[in-house]
Amino acid sequence: MTTVIFIYLIATMENIAKPVATSAEDFKENPTMFYPDWDSETMKYSTVLLQNPVIDSETGELREMTEFEKVKAGKRVLEDGSYLDEANKTIVTVAKPNEYSDWDKNTNSWVEDKTKKLQYLKDTRYKKQQEYIKLKKELENKEEEKEEFENLGFDITETEERITEIKSEMDLLKTEIAKLTKEIKKVEKEVI
């Protein structure tokens, strides 16, 4: 069995050779046997191909960069909602609280955009108003259905149950629409 050894130049972290050794241990014991140009002062090796190699400051070993290190090296860009925690050398991600907030890279926080919020509230209210109208039409149909069933002597239990459900859903929507309208008026004052 053989092992591919990946040799990196310390100065550039570039993979400069891929000699095949009998094992990683054999290479470690006698690197020039497998790679005659080996120089332990200017080179490091790995048994895996590293996309973003770095020398660990604590162990001196060659390894793959952490996500934190990739950002610091400019090899990765943070998405909105993420920032570097220098003290812990980690990437912190803050969940977006709503549809109308933008990421502020200076404060590492989400900031509400009042104009976007206003549009979001108006869009949401409009959808709820459409739902209300749809339910109102369904209620009218169910009331007609109930009347027809009564005239024909049919059981109206299921129809009455649906009528009660629809009225309950409509009441809930009316309350939500009223709250949204109140919130819209408040945000409109803040935007102007």
Side-chain angles (χ1 to χ4, degrees):
M1 189 167 143
T2 58
T3 303
V4 176
I5 304 295
F6 300 92
I7 298 177
Y8 293 85
L9 201 55
I10 294 173
T12 61
M13 284 298 140
E14 177 187 0
N15 176 231
I16 57 168
K18 298 175 191 169
V20 177
T22 47
S23 71
E25 291 303 315
D26 288 344
F27 180 84
K28 187 177 182 180
E29 288 175 20
N30 190 2
T32 54
M33 181 175 150
F34 301 99
Y35 185 64
D37 294 336
W38 174 257
D39 177 2
S40 61
E41 297 295 315
T42 61
M43 297 174 195
K44 289 280 187 181
Y45 75 93
S46 172
T47 56
V48 293
L49 179 62
L50 302 170
Q51 299 301 314
N52 298 287
V54 67
I55 297 173
D56 192 296
S57 59
E58 292 176 19
T59 65
E61 296 296 314
L62 189 63
R63 62 169 173 75
E64 185 70 33
M65 282 183 176
T66 64
E67 293 303 309
F68 179 88
E69 290 167 328
K70 288 178 194 174
V71 173
K72 292 289 279 183
K75 294 178 179 276
R76 178 182 165 208
V77 177
L78 288 175
E79 294 178 19
D80 284 349
S82 295
Y83 66 93
L84 295 179
D85 178 350
E86 296 286 345
N88 296 310
K89 297 201 181 312
T90 59
I91 297 173
V92 177
T93 301
V94 180
K96 189 172 185 177
N98 50 51
E99 296 295 315
Y100 43 84
S101 288
D102 294 320
W103 183 248
D104 182 341
K105 292 179 182 181
N106 296 324
T107 62
N108 293 329
S109 62
W110 291 102
V111 179
E112 274 190 11
D113 179 319
K114 298 295 182 188
T115 305
K116 284 183 182 178
K117 181 177 183 179
L118 181 60
Q119 191 59 52
Y120 173 82
L121 291 171
K122 286 181 176 181
D123 291 346
T124 304
R125 178 179 66 180
Y126 181 69
K127 287 176 189 165
K128 297 219 179 268
Q129 289 169 333
Q130 287 178 314
E131 286 177 50
Y132 185 87
I133 296 300
K134 187 178 171 187
L135 286 171
K136 185 178 176 205
K137 288 178 183 173
E138 185 183 349
L139 178 62
E140 290 168 2
N141 289 338
K142 287 296 175 188
E143 285 174 341
E144 286 175 19
E145 179 183 284
K146 177 184 169 188
E147 190 178 317
E148 278 187 54
F149 282 4
E150 284 176 325
N151 291 339
L152 294 167
F154 293 163
D155 182 31
I156 57 169
T157 308
E158 290 172 7
T159 305
E160 284 180 328
E161 286 173 2
R162 181 61 190 141
I163 288 171
T164 304
E165 287 173 13
I166 293 169
K167 286 180 179 178
S168 176
E169 289 175 40
M170 287 174 72
D171 288 343
L172 184 63
L173 278 170
K174 259 186 170 175
T175 304
E176 291 174 3
I177 291 166
K179 283 181 186 175
L180 284 164
T181 301
K182 185 177 178 182
E183 184 71 14
I184 287 168
K185 287 179 182 175
K186 179 182 161 198
V187 175
E188 280 175 334
K189 290 177 185 173
E190 295 171 3
V191 170
I192 297 170

